[in-house]
Amino acid sequence: MSVLSGKKILLGITAGIAAYKSAFLVRLLVKKGAEVRVVMTPAAKDFVTPLTLSTLSKNEVLSTFVDEENENAQWNNHVALGLWADLLLIAPATANTLSKMAQGSSDNLLIATYLSAKCPIYFAPAMDLDMHRHPSTSESFKKLTAFGNIMIPSTHGELASGLVGTGRMAEPADIVTFLEQDLLKKSPFYGKKILITAGPTYEAIDPVRFIGNHSSGKMGFALARVAAQWGAEVTLVSGPTSLQVPHESITLIRVTSAKEMYQASHRYFDACDVAILSAAVADYRPKVKATQKIKKSEREFSIQLEKTEDILATLGAIKQKQYLVGFALETENELENAKTKLKKKNLDLIVLNSLNDEGVAFGAQTNKVTLIDADNKTYPFGVKEKTEVAKDILKFISEKIHA
Ligand code: CTP
């Protein structure tokens, strides 16, 4: 899944011949899962039609503050547009628009939106070679990059004038790759390795029966997906679930028993920066696994159980640089029990689920958690979708490891 997936992208199109390529750009961004809205300068409509762009983006294309042909028209709010966007991309960016951006002359909707935007801003210059190397244009580049705007450099090649030189807008596919790489580098977990355990474990009684629990693995898989989207390289060690790997940066290790989960977790722990143990590991397993299916010959039947390895505690005992996170599911004295677990298992953070809370259940789409850190500070959150809970947890961890 691309880092652009779910991103709100405002594409500004200005009046250069490369504007015809912006249609491909919209298509590529939409294919990556981004939501795209287009703002054009009025003159850009001479190069590509709003109809093409609205069809490809599935959104209305804006170019003026008001639609003068519609007497019921509303003011196109540049402030709202600027705030809506996760990123503003201006491609192609002509010498004229770049100069206006650098000077702050907001004589059209695009420049007004640019001046209102608080999100990261990228611009892909496109112009003839002499315009590109003019000191005035170099000044614009310098000013805009000093403002923190990011330039997607022009390339060298044949230009619309027939001349050969630097000034071609970067190809749409290269612009998309540039955005992906830049966003990934700025992601909270870029370059970090995260180990996550998820799901239940099954402890075999005989070849056909086991002791298990109702854990769906949804919370752990949501954590893995969000961590991967935020740039992490994730190793997801999961007990039996029907869930599928949601991202190419996730390596899924499927295990069945607590022993296998213990072995896999220890194998990957050393190299990881963060370990989040959200699995519902069986606390006990049958002491002996029958080699043949057990027959119902007796009136009463009992199985002797032995403790499984406490994966979290054993990782807590050997942890060095790793930020170690455990989960606690409690039904009474929740905060006290969770704090005791945090200390006993040598954790940096514990995520407390209280079964007394509404919206909290095995298999549910929602969860409600309280985070408790190593200083015993508590951070309660409301009932949320598991993906949102995963974001809260990972945002907290990211702030801690970068503090
Ligand atoms: N855990 C683990 N290995 C186990 C049991 C639990 O790694 N054998 C981890 C879980 O993944 C979770 C945390 O320990 O992150 C808390 O598990 P929980 O079952 O709530 O607590 P226990 O330590 O088992 O204590 P108790 O059953 O007494 O509440």
Side-chain angles (χ1 to χ4, degrees):
M1 191 190 294
S2 167
V3 68
L4 293 170
S5 173
K7 285 264 182 305
K8 297 189 182 98
I9 300 182
L10 195 56
L11 175 64
I13 301 178
T14 71
I17 183 64
Y20 82 91
K21 291 187 184 173
S22 302
F24 294 96
L25 191 50
V26 173
R27 194 165 154 63
L28 290 176
L29 292 170
V30 169
K31 266 187 149 178
K32 293 283 182 183
E35 191 182 338
V36 181
R37 296 185 72 177
V38 175
V39 180
M40 308 173 78
T41 60
K45 291 195 258 180
D46 292 337
F47 294 90
V48 59
T49 71
L51 182 62
T52 305
L53 298 163
S54 61
T55 306
L56 291 171
S57 67
K58 299 187 178 69
N59 274 315
E60 189 189 356
V61 172
L62 304 173
S63 64
T64 51
F65 289 103
V66 278
D67 178 359
E68 274 153 19
E69 280 164 25
N70 176 0
E71 54 191 28
N72 297 314
Q74 292 191 346
W75 172 255
N76 288 325
N77 189 337
H78 55 279
V79 178
L81 268 177
L83 293 178
W84 170 84
D86 293 323
L87 74 89
L88 169 60
L89 165 66
I90 301 175
T94 58
N96 181 37
T97 288
L98 291 171
S99 162
K100 285 189 199 169
M101 285 160 64
Q103 301 306 324
S105 6
S106 69
D107 65 353
N108 65 44
L109 182 66
L110 175 56
I111 307 288
T113 305
Y114 162 76
L115 292 172
S116 305
K118 290 190 176 145
C119 58
I121 292 162
Y122 298 81
F123 63 93
M127 61 199 75
D128 209 50
L129 76 167
D130 290 314
M131 294 173 87
H132 191 273
R133 64 179 166 219
H134 195 280
S136 160
T137 307
S138 305
E139 239 356 82
S140 300
F141 291 163
K142 241 192 261 163
K143 266 200 177 171
L144 293 173
T145 46
F147 295 163
N149 301 169
I150 300 147
M151 178 155 86
I152 306 174
S154 303
T155 58
H156 188 273
E158 193 181 336
L159 299 159
S161 62
L163 300 172
V164 174
T166 300
R168 284 169 66 97
M169 183 176 85
E171 289 303 319
D174 296 333
I175 292 178
V176 171
T177 306
F178 186 103
L179 291 179
E180 285 183 317
Q181 287 174 351
D182 197 66
L183 289 174
L184 204 60
K185 262 190 249 153
K186 291 172 181 158
S187 302
F189 290 109
Y190 179 69
K192 299 281 181 213
K193 290 195 164 87
I194 303 192
L195 168 69
I196 296 172
T197 67
T201 65
Y202 288 178
E203 310 303 325
I205 298 170
D206 67 15
V208 293
R209 302 181 180 93
F210 60 83
I211 299 172
N213 61 64
H214 290 301
S215 168
S216 65
K218 282 179 190 155
M219 192 62 240
F221 275 65
L223 282 162
R225 186 177 56 245
V226 175
Q229 279 170 352
W230 290 5
E233 208 181 298
V234 178
T235 304
L236 176 60
V237 178
S238 175
T241 82
S242 55
L243 301 174
Q244 297 302 315
V245 180
H247 198 285
E248 70 253 19
S249 304
I250 301 173
T251 305
L252 176 65
I253 316 284
R254 288 200 188 273
V255 296
T256 304
S257 64
K259 192 178 199 104
E260 287 169 8
M261 188 172 276
Y262 170 89
Q263 286 163 344
S265 303
H266 275 263
R267 198 173 323 131
Y268 294 100
F269 185 65
D270 196 35
C272 80
D273 301 287
V274 176
I276 308 174
L277 274 66
S278 69
V281 187
D283 288 323
Y284 292 93
R285 70 175 148 240
K287 197 162 182 186
V288 180
K289 177 190 163 191
T291 50
Q292 303 299 327
K293 187 178 167 218
I294 298 168
K295 290 289 190 193
K296 52 177 181 307
S297 47
E298 309 292 329
R299 257 179 69 82
E300 285 185 358
F301 178 70
S302 58
I303 305 171
Q304 198 179 357
L305 302 177
E306 65 178 8
K307 264 200 166 160
T308 57
E309 301 77 6
D310 189 326
I311 306 165
L312 185 58
T314 55
L315 295 182
I318 60 165
K319 84 169 165 137
Q320 293 176 346
K321 55 165 182 131
Q322 294 89 349
Y323 191 86
L324 183 59
V325 183
F327 272 65
L329 183 65
E330 304 290 346
T331 51
E332 55 183 354
N333 297 329
E334 293 127 355
L335 278 176
E336 279 324 301
N337 286 345
K339 284 179 184 175
T340 308
K341 230 171 253 183
L342 177 91
K343 281 253 148 4
K344 208 172 90 190
K345 300 195 187 189
N346 192 26
L347 311 181
D348 298 290
L349 184 71
I350 194 151
V351 181
L352 167 66
N353 294 293
S354 157
L355 262 192
N356 299 328
D357 287 322
E358 226 172 276
V360 179
F362 276 145
Q365 298 295 346
T366 53
N367 201 355
K368 180 177 184 303
V369 300
T370 299
L371 304 186
I372 308 168
D373 69 10
D375 299 326
N376 262 341
K377 281 204 194 116
T378 58
Y379 304 84
F381 292 84
V383 177
K384 297 184 181 188
E385 291 287 315
K386 285 185 174 165
T387 301
E388 296 308 309
V389 176
K391 286 181 188 166
D392 288 338
I393 296 170
L394 288 164
K395 185 165 177 286
F396 189 92
I397 296 172
S398 153
E399 282 165 9
K400 285 284 178 184
I401 62 174
H402 291 110

